[in-house]
Amino acid sequence: MAEVKSDIEIARAAKKKPIQEIGAKIGIPPEHLLPYGHDKAKVSAEFIAEARKRPDGKLILVTAINPTPAGEGKTTTTVGLGDGLNRIGKKAIVCIREASLGPCFGMKGGAAGGGYAQVVPMEDINLHFTGDFHAITSAHNLLSALIDNHIYWGNELGIDTRRITWRRVMDMNDRALRQIVTSLGGVANGFPREAGFDITVASEVMAILCLATDLRDLQKRLGDIIIGYRRDKSPVFARDLKADGAMAVLLKDALQPNLVQTLENNPAFVHGGPFANIAHGCNSVMATTTALKLADYVVTEAGFGADLGAEKFFDIKCRKAGLKPAAAVIVATVRALKMNGGVKKEDLGIENVAALEAGCANLGRHIENVKQFGVPAIVAINHFHTDTPAEIEAVKRYVAAQGEEAVVCRHWALGSAGTEELAHKVVELAESRASQFAPLYRDDMPLFEKIDTIVKRIYRGSGAIADKSVRAQLKQWEEQGYGHLPVCMAKTQYSFSTDPNLRGAPVDHAVPVREVRLSAGAGFVVAICGEIMTMPGLPRVPAAQSIFLNEQGYIEGLS
Amino acid sequence: MAEVKSDIEIARAAKKKPIQEIGAKIGIPPEHLLPYGHDKAKVSAEFIAEARKRPDGKLILVTAINPTPAGEGKTTTTVGLGDGLNRIGKKAIVCIREASLGPCFGMKGGAAGGGYAQVVPMEDINLHFTGDFHAITSAHNLLSALIDNHIYWGNELGIDTRRITWRRVMDMNDRALRQIVTSLGGVANGFPREAGFDITVASEVMAILCLATDLRDLQKRLGDIIIGYRRDKSPVFARDLKADGAMAVLLKDALQPNLVQTLENNPAFVHGGPFANIAHGCNSVMATTTALKLADYVVTEAGFGADLGAEKFFDIKCRKAGLKPAAAVIVATVRALKMNGGVKKEDLGIENVAALEAGCANLGRHIENVKQFGVPAIVAINHFHTDTPAEIEAVKRYVAAQGEEAVVCRHWALGSAGTEELAHKVVELAESRASQFAPLYRDDMPLFEKIDTIVKRIYRGSGAIADKSVRAQLKQWEEQGYGHLPVCMAKTQYSFSTDPNLRGAPVDHAVPVREVRLSAGAGFVVAICGEIMTMPGLPRVPAAQSIFLNEQGYIEGLS
C-alpha cells in the first residue's frame, strides 16, 4: 500500500510556477500583479477596473450538507473541481476564503484544501499570507482607539459609553479578551468601561472588505459603521469620528484579491474570510467578480452547510453583487451522512446502508433548498477509503430519486483525475442555462418577515419567534432606513434547527431570535438564534505547541 | 522662490527602480529577493548565510545631540549621508528602523526621512510595509494567549497570576488598553486578572528580532523569555509553555531584512524598530551585518541622543553582534542648539549666537562621549533656511575647539549634492583606521556597577541611586546567571539627567533607578530611571482624521 503523505508534505513537494505565469494563464500582465514573494500576488485595482467591461464566466457554488465531526471537504472539493474543469479544457478559477491565524494555533488545521486538492503556498496562506487580516485588525482597532480617544478628550459627540457596540479585534484565539474592563489606572488612561475583543474574522470590517466593490465603496461603507449610540439612542457613525479615511488607507492593498495556484498550477483567488455565523461567510466580491471576467468558470464556496452558507451566499452576496450562479455542487461524504443517520464517530468505518439512507434526508433537504433559489444542483460524494460500493450506490440511488445526480469524486487522492466526471456534469448543468436564480425574499419585505421566511422555507421550522424588544428594534431600524437590508442568520451550523444535536431533516421547530445586530457598513441585519462565539478559546493542548521550524528551516505542524 | 514640496509629494514623484535593480547594485541576485510589490523585497536567509564569509565594510553610526522640539533630522541625515557616499563613488547602504503604525495616526509623521533625503515607498514604509510589525504583534500575543490558556486548563506550571510580566501588544496608540482587567464574564472566560497592552515596538519580541543573528538564535531567545514568576518567585519561561516554536514560525519571514531604495535609487535596509527607551532602539543586527557584507560603507542610526542611543548602540548592539563602528556622525541643528542654550521655540528664527554657543555644551558632551568608546566623531550641521552664517561659524568654531570638525549638510533641500563634503570627511575618518572601539564596561562587571558607570561616565551624574529592593533584584538575577548581560537604560531623551527640562550639559545629578526589568530573551537588563510610557495615547486631533485616499486613489495626509 502506498504511503499516505500529510497535506504539508504534499504541499511542500508541489512544483509551483512563478505567479506571473499563473497570472498569464488568465490574462493578467505582470505589471498588474503586485508580487508577495514569488508565489503570491495581488491584482492591481487598475486591471480590475479595466476588466469590468468584459462578459462574465459562469459561477459555480460549492456548498454542503450540515457539517459533522466526520468532515465533508468543501474547500477540498472546490479546489478539486477547479482543477477538474481546467483538466477538461475549461478556463477555471477557484475563489476561496483566507484562513484565520487564530484557529491555526488552536485545534483545526488550515483552510487551503487537502490531499492532492490544495492551494499553495499552504504555509503562507495559513499564516500571514499577504497581510489582509492584519490590515483589517489595524483598521478595526484604529476605530476603537479613536472612540476612546474621543471620549477622553471631552466626548463632543455625546457617545453613551454604556452603548458602545464597536469592540476590538485580534487574530488570535484568546478567551481572556472576550470580556474586559479598559481604561483603568486613573485620569491619564481615560474612562473605565466594559469592552472586549472578537477574533478578526468576526469584524464588520472583514464583512465590509468582502462586500465592497471598489475603494470608494469601501470607504463609504466604513463611514456607515455604527460604533454605538447616544443617550437618546441615536447612532454614532465611524464617519462622525472621521475614521473612514484612515481606515480605507489601511485597507487599500487588502482590498485587492490575492492570486495563488493549486497543486496543478491552476489559478486560485484566496481573498477575505468573514465568519460564517455573524457575517455572510463568503470570499470577497472583488475576487469573485474579477474572476468571472477572466475565466469561463469560477468555482467558489460558502461557509457551513447550505442552510446557512448557500442561503447567505444567495441572499446576501449574490443579491448585493448582482451575481447569478449557474449551478451548485452539494458536497456530502458517506461518513457524514451516516452520522446524520445516527452512527457514532467510532463506528463510521463499518458499512451501514440503513443509517446512511436515513441520513440522506439531510442531503435531500439541501438539494430542495438550493433548487428553491432556482439554481440547478448536483451532489459530489467526496470519497473516503472506508466507503463501500453498497454505500455509494445507496447515496446515488437516493439522489436519483430526488431527480438529481450524485457523482463520486476522488480529488483528495488523485487531484483533477478524480473530479473529471464531476467537471463534465457541472459544465453540462451550467451550459443547459437552467439556472433561474432569484433570492428568497424581496428587499422591501419587513425585516422580521425576512427572518421568518428563511426559518419556514429553508429551515422548515414553524416560524421565527422573538421578544417584543427584538421586534421593536427591527421596527426602529426600518424607520431609520435600514429596512431594505438582507438578514444574516446566525445559527448553529450542525442542524436545520437551533439544536446542534438535531441532525437529519427536522421540521416544525420554532426558531427563537435572541438578539439582532445592525451591520450598517456591511449592509445586513444579523439575527442571532442561540449562542454566538465571536472570540474562540484554545484547547487544552493547542496546536501551537507542536508547530516549529525543523532543522532545514521548514515549518512543521501546520496542516 | 521655489515652491516647497511636502515629503509625500517628493516621495510620490520619485523615479523608483525595480527592487531587483537595487538588489543587483549590491550583488543580490533576483532569486534571493522575496518581492513585496515591485519596490520592496526581503533578502533570503540562504543568501545571507552565504554572504557571511565575506569581509566587512565600514560601519558609520549617525547619532545626535539631545532631541528638542526643534528637530534634528537624524534619519534624514542617515539617508543623506548614504546617498552622499554613493555619490562620491563608494558603495554604501543605509540601515534604518521601520516605522510604527501607531504614532502615524497620532501626532508625528513617518520615519522615512524627509525632503530630498528619503527612503521610498514612504507610504508603505509608514503603513504595513512587509508586515514585520504585524508578525511581531502576532507572535507576542500568541504567547499571551498561551499563558491565560495554560492557567484556564489547570495551571500545571504554577504561574502566579499576580506575577505575570508578559503583557499584550498592539501597533496602535490606545491609552484605554494600558491597564485592563481580563477574563471577566464567568467560568468560560478564565480567571480575571490585571493586565494591559503595550505598543508593538515596546515588545521584547521586537528587541529579540533586532538582536537575533539567525532563525535558530531567534527561536532560542524566544524560549528564553520570562513570562512571569511562580509563588516562590522562580521564573516561568516561554519555553515552558512550548510557545517558542510557533512564535519562531510566525517570525520566520519577519527576520529577513527589507530592501528598499532612497530617492536617489541607492539601497537601504529598513528593518526592525525597537523602542529606544525600554529597548536598545537600533535597526536589526541581521540588516546591519548583512549590509556590511555587501557594501564598503554602511550608515546606520540609533534612537534619541547619543547619551541613550549611541551608548546602547555601542554597549548592546555592537557588543552582542561583534560590530566595530569606524566613525560616528553627530547630528546637530542650529535651532536645536539654540534651544539647548535656552531659546524658546517661537524665537528660533532670530539670530542668537550667544545662546547657540551656550547650547553647544550639549554637543560638546556628546562628542566627548562618543570618543570615550574609541570611535572618531564628526559633527553634521543639518542646515535649516533660517540659519545665519554667524551661527554656523559659531558651531564650527566650537567643534574645532574640541579638536573635531563640523560640516554643513543640505541633503534635505539638495539630496546627495548637499552631503558630498560630509561623505568625503567620513571616508577620511574611517579610512584613517583611528577607531579603537571598545564598549564602556566589561561583561563581568556587576549589574548595578554597570548602571553606575553609565551614569558617571556618560551622563556625568554623581552616581546611580536605587532602593534596596532594586539592588536585591539585580543581585538575584546575577545569582540566576544573568549578571553578564548589558544594561539598557530607560531615561528621558531630553537631558543627560532624569529631568527633561535640564538641557545643555548638566553635571553631578543623581540618577535614581526606579525599577529594573529583565529581558532574558533579548539579553539585557532594563534600568528604568523615571516614568516609562509603553503605550502612547492619541492627541485631541489625531493625524488619522486627515489621512484619506484622494480622487486618484493616492494617500493624503501621511508625512
Side-chain angles (χ1 to χ4, degrees):
Chain A
M1 195 178 148
E3 191 197 354
V4 176
K5 285 189 183 162
S6 71
D7 287 354
I8 200 167
E9 284 169 331
I10 294 171
R12 205 182 289 151
K15 295 262 178 290
K16 283 179 293 184
K17 290 197 176 155
I19 198 62
Q20 291 77 6
E21 277 186 46
I22 306 300
K25 279 191 175 186
I26 47 175
I28 310 176
E31 64 272 22
H32 283 296
L33 285 176
L34 208 70
Y36 283 69
H38 301 289
D39 49 12
K40 307 176 288 295
K42 284 188 168 281
V43 184
S44 81
E46 297 72 38
F47 179 82
I48 290 175
E50 193 59 34
R52 291 232 159 115
K53 296 169 212 154
R54 306 182 193 179
D56 280 325
K58 292 192 164 58
L59 179 60
I60 311 298
L61 171 70
V62 176
T63 181
I65 60 172
N66 288 98
T68 69
E72 290 70 38
K74 204 164 49 207
T75 304
T76 305
T77 305
T78 305
V79 176
L81 175 57
D83 280 338
L85 285 164
N86 276 293
R87 186 186 182 92
I88 65 166
K90 300 293 174 188
K91 195 187 272 188
I93 301 177
V94 162
C95 283
I96 60 175
R97 290 173 292 169
E98 296 182 57
S100 175
L101 204 50
C104 210
F105 295 110
M107 195 108 67
K108 76 183 268 288
Y116 287 90
Q118 292 188 54
V119 286
V120 282
M122 82 89 106
E123 293 102 323
D124 292 8
I125 293 170
N126 283 318
L127 294 170
H128 306 294
F129 198 31
T130 58
D132 293 343
F133 285 18
H134 292 315
I136 289 165
T137 304
S138 295
H140 184 118
N141 291 335
L142 173 61
L143 178 53
S144 312
L146 289 171
I147 295 168
D148 279 300
N149 189 59
H150 179 85
I151 295 164
Y152 176 85
W153 287 104
N155 198 6
E156 216 173 288
L157 289 169
I159 300 166
D160 184 342
T161 57
R162 305 162 307 175
R163 291 195 172 95
I164 295 171
T165 49
W166 194 254
R167 290 157 55 91
R168 287 175 175 81
V169 297
M170 188 184 277
D171 198 7
M172 195 59 66
N173 287 13
D174 193 347
R175 66 171 70 73
L177 294 178
R178 282 176 192 152
Q179 206 169 320
I180 65 177
V181 171
T182 57
S183 302
L184 297 170
V187 172
N189 299 349
F191 297 85
R193 66 177 183 89
E194 285 185 56
F197 280 73
D198 297 326
I199 190 164
T200 299
V201 280
S203 167
E204 187 179 344
V205 176
M206 175 70 86
I208 288 174
L209 186 102
C210 290
L211 288 167
T213 50
D214 58 24
L215 260 180
R216 193 180 301 246
D217 180 45
L218 178 82
Q219 184 160 329
K220 188 206 160 287
R221 286 168 178 271
L222 292 168
D224 288 342
I225 290 171
I226 294 174
I227 63 100
Y229 300 86
R230 299 184 182 82
R231 281 189 85 101
D232 65 5
K233 298 194 185 163
S234 62
V236 180
F237 297 92
R239 187 175 293 114
D240 299 332
L241 289 157
K242 299 194 184 115
D244 44 335
M247 290 172 78
V249 164
L250 281 168
L251 295 167
K252 185 176 187 283
D253 293 336
L255 185 65
Q256 302 310 120
N258 305 300
L259 178 68
V260 293
Q261 61 194 291
T262 68
L263 290 175
E264 301 190 6
N265 310 120
N266 292 314
F269 282 137
V270 180
H271 194 222
F275 245 31
N277 47 20
I278 68 157
H280 60 295
C282 307
N283 77 295
S284 78
V285 164
M286 284 283 280
T288 306
T289 54
T290 302
L292 284 167
K293 300 298 182 187
L294 308 179
D296 306 326
Y297 283 85
V298 173
V299 187
T300 190
E301 59 168 347
F304 299 146
D307 54 328
L308 272 176
E311 188 272 313
K312 295 197 222 183
F313 173 80
F314 292 140
D315 279 329
I316 300 176
K317 181 172 173 178
C318 292
R319 178 196 303 263
K320 290 288 173 182
L323 298 170
K324 304 215 175 298
V329 176
I330 304 173
V331 181
T333 59
V334 166
R335 291 160 63 88
L337 288 170
K338 284 199 283 192
M339 282 198 97
N340 263 291
V343 177
K344 289 207 179 70
K345 198 175 176 188
E346 50 272 28
D347 299 330
L348 286 176
I350 307 161
E351 182 178 277
N352 189 337
V353 174
L356 177 68
E357 281 173 339
C360 276
N362 186 269
L363 173 58
R365 174 74 61 82
H366 290 296
I367 298 173
E368 274 177 40
N369 281 349
V370 167
K371 285 160 71 182
Q372 274 197 75
F373 288 91
V375 178
I378 184 167
V379 172
I381 306 172
N382 184 10
H383 185 264
F384 193 74
H385 67 89
T386 56
D387 299 353
T388 70
E391 288 176 327
I392 287 171
E393 266 323 296
V395 181
K396 287 189 167 184
R397 203 165 50 233
Y398 177 86
V399 175
Q402 315 295 308
E404 304 303 332
E405 196 170 358
V407 179
V408 177
C409 302
R410 297 171 188 266
H411 44 280
W412 190 89
L414 303 175
S416 65
T419 50
E420 242 186 86
E421 190 189 351
L422 179 67
H424 279 294
K425 299 281 185 189
V426 163
V427 168
E428 224 171 87
L429 215 55
E431 305 276 325
S432 72
R433 303 183 192 279
S435 182
Q436 298 287 333
F437 170 70
L440 193 69
Y441 51 82
R442 293 200 342 236
D443 286 353
D444 61 4
M445 189 185 272
L447 291 169
F448 190 76
E449 216 177 297
K450 287 174 181 165
I451 300 170
D452 196 57
T453 301
I454 295 168
V455 168
K456 285 180 177 146
R457 291 188 47 198
I458 303 294
Y459 308 159
R460 313 299 170 92
S462 54
I465 51 175
D467 281 354
K468 213 179 138 189
S469 66
V470 166
R471 287 163 178 268
Q473 178 62 83
L474 292 172
K475 194 57 76 187
Q476 194 186 15
W477 287 333
E478 284 164 1
E479 284 157 12
Q480 288 171 351
Y482 297 108
H484 65 289
L485 296 181
V487 292
C488 181
M489 300 299 284
K491 178 189 69 71
T492 177
Q493 64 266 38
Y494 298 111
S495 171
F496 280 101
S497 75
T498 51
D499 173 3
N501 299 312
L502 203 56
R503 293 204 169 118
V507 287
D508 287 339
H509 42 277
V511 172
V513 182
R514 200 169 52 80
E515 186 193 334
V516 283
R517 295 183 195 173
L518 175 57
S519 293
F524 50 69
V525 170
V526 183
I528 296 172
C529 315
E531 288 298 314
I532 281 287
M533 182 70 87
T534 51
M535 172 54 97
L538 290 168
R540 183 183 286 271
V541 182
Q545 292 189 358
S546 30
I547 294 174
F548 63 97
L549 293 167
N550 68 17
E551 291 293 308
Q552 290 80 46
Y554 288 124
I555 297 169
E556 297 285 355
L558 274 182
S559 66
Chain B
M1 195 177 146
E3 190 198 357
V4 176
K5 285 189 184 163
S6 72
D7 288 355
I8 201 167
E9 284 169 331
I10 294 171
R12 204 182 289 152
K15 295 261 177 291
K16 283 180 290 184
K17 290 195 175 157
I19 199 62
Q20 290 78 7
E21 275 186 47
I22 306 300
K25 279 191 176 187
I26 47 175
I28 310 175
E31 64 271 22
H32 284 296
L33 285 177
L34 208 70
Y36 284 69
H38 302 288
D39 48 13
K40 306 177 289 294
K42 284 189 168 281
V43 184
S44 82
E46 299 71 39
F47 179 81
I48 289 175
E50 192 59 36
R52 290 234 158 111
K53 296 170 212 153
R54 306 183 193 178
D56 280 325
K58 294 192 162 59
L59 180 59
I60 311 299
L61 171 70
V62 176
T63 182
I65 59 171
N66 288 99
T68 67
E72 290 71 38
K74 206 165 47 207
T75 304
T76 305
T77 305
T78 305
V79 175
L81 176 57
D83 281 338
L85 286 163
N86 276 294
R87 185 186 183 93
I88 66 166
K90 300 293 174 188
K91 196 187 270 189
I93 300 177
V94 162
C95 284
I96 60 175
R97 291 174 292 169
E98 297 182 56
S100 175
L101 203 50
C104 211
F105 295 111
M107 196 108 65
K108 76 184 266 293
Y116 287 89
Q118 292 189 55
V119 286
V120 282
M122 83 88 105
E123 293 102 321
D124 292 9
I125 293 171
N126 283 318
L127 295 170
H128 306 295
F129 198 31
T130 59
D132 293 343
F133 285 18
H134 292 315
I136 289 165
T137 304
S138 294
H140 184 117
N141 291 335
L142 173 61
L143 178 54
S144 312
L146 289 170
I147 294 168
D148 279 301
N149 190 59
H150 179 84
I151 295 164
Y152 176 85
W153 288 105
N155 199 6
E156 216 173 285
L157 290 170
I159 301 166
D160 184 341
T161 56
R162 305 162 306 175
R163 290 196 173 95
I164 295 171
T165 49
W166 194 255
R167 291 157 54 90
R168 287 175 175 82
V169 296
M170 188 184 276
D171 197 7
M172 195 58 67
N173 288 13
D174 192 347
R175 66 171 69 74
L177 294 177
R178 282 176 192 154
Q179 205 171 321
I180 65 177
V181 171
T182 58
S183 301
L184 297 170
V187 173
N189 298 349
F191 296 86
R193 67 177 183 88
E194 285 184 56
F197 280 74
D198 296 326
I199 191 164
T200 299
V201 280
S203 167
E204 187 179 345
V205 176
M206 175 69 87
I208 289 173
L209 185 103
C210 289
L211 288 167
T213 51
D214 58 24
L215 260 181
R216 192 180 302 248
D217 180 46
L218 178 83
Q219 184 160 329
K220 188 204 161 286
R221 287 168 179 270
L222 292 169
D224 289 341
I225 290 171
I226 294 174
I227 63 99
Y229 300 86
R230 298 184 182 80
R231 281 189 84 100
D232 66 5
K233 297 195 184 159
S234 63
V236 180
F237 296 92
R239 186 175 293 113
D240 300 331
L241 289 157
K242 298 193 183 116
D244 45 335
M247 290 172 78
V249 164
L250 281 168
L251 295 167
K252 185 176 188 282
D253 293 336
L255 185 64
Q256 302 310 119
N258 305 300
L259 178 67
V260 292
Q261 61 194 290
T262 67
L263 290 175
E264 301 189 6
N265 310 121
N266 292 314
F269 283 138
V270 179
H271 195 221
F275 245 32
N277 47 20
I278 68 157
H280 59 296
C282 307
N283 77 295
S284 79
V285 164
M286 285 282 281
T288 305
T289 54
T290 302
L292 284 168
K293 300 298 182 187
L294 307 178
D296 307 325
Y297 282 86
V298 173
V299 186
T300 190
E301 59 167 347
F304 298 146
D307 54 328
L308 272 175
E311 187 272 313
K312 296 196 221 182
F313 173 79
F314 292 139
D315 280 328
I316 301 177
K317 181 172 173 177
C318 291
R319 176 196 304 263
K320 291 289 173 180
L323 297 171
K324 303 215 175 299
V329 175
I330 304 173
V331 181
T333 57
V334 166
R335 290 160 63 87
L337 288 170
K338 285 198 282 191
M339 280 197 97
N340 263 290
V343 177
K344 288 207 178 71
K345 200 177 175 188
E346 52 273 28
D347 299 329
L348 286 175
I350 306 161
E351 182 179 276
N352 189 338
V353 174
L356 177 69
E357 281 172 341
C360 275
N362 186 269
L363 172 60
R365 174 74 61 80
H366 289 297
I367 297 173
E368 273 177 40
N369 281 349
V370 168
K371 284 159 74 181
Q372 274 198 74
F373 288 91
V375 178
I378 184 167
V379 173
I381 306 172
N382 185 9
H383 186 264
F384 193 74
H385 67 89
T386 57
D387 299 352
T388 69
E391 288 175 328
I392 288 171
E393 265 324 296
V395 181
K396 287 188 167 183
R397 203 165 50 233
Y398 177 86
V399 176
Q402 315 295 307
E404 304 303 332
E405 197 170 359
V407 179
V408 176
C409 302
R410 297 171 189 266
H411 44 280
W412 191 89
L414 303 175
S416 66
T419 52
E420 241 186 85
E421 190 189 350
L422 179 68
H424 278 295
K425 299 281 184 189
V426 163
V427 168
E428 221 171 274
L429 214 56
E431 304 277 324
S432 72
R433 302 182 193 280
S435 182
Q436 298 288 333
F437 170 70
L440 192 68
Y441 51 82
R442 293 198 343 234
D443 285 354
D444 60 5
M445 189 185 273
L447 291 169
F448 191 77
E449 217 176 297
K450 287 174 181 165
I451 299 169
D452 195 55
T453 301
I454 295 168
V455 168
K456 285 181 177 143
R457 291 189 46 200
I458 303 294
Y459 307 159
R460 314 298 170 91
S462 54
I465 51 175
D467 280 355
K468 213 178 137 189
S469 67
V470 166
R471 286 163 178 268
Q473 178 61 82
L474 292 172
K475 194 56 77 188
Q476 194 186 16
W477 287 334
E478 283 164 3
E479 284 157 13
Q480 289 171 352
Y482 297 108
H484 66 290
L485 295 181
V487 292
C488 181
M489 300 298 284
K491 178 189 69 71
T492 177
Q493 63 267 37
Y494 299 111
S495 170
F496 280 101
S497 75
T498 52
D499 174 3
N501 299 311
L502 205 55
R503 294 205 169 117
V507 288
D508 287 338
H509 43 278
V511 172
V513 181
R514 200 168 53 79
E515 186 192 334
V516 284
R517 296 182 193 173
L518 175 57
S519 292
F524 50 69
V525 170
V526 183
I528 295 173
C529 316
E531 288 298 313
I532 282 287
M533 182 70 86
T534 51
M535 173 53 96
L538 291 169
R540 182 184 287 270
V541 183
Q545 292 189 358
S546 30
I547 295 174
F548 63 97
L549 295 166
N550 68 17
E551 290 293 308
Q552 290 80 47
Y554 288 123
I555 297 169
E556 297 286 356
L558 274 180
S559 65

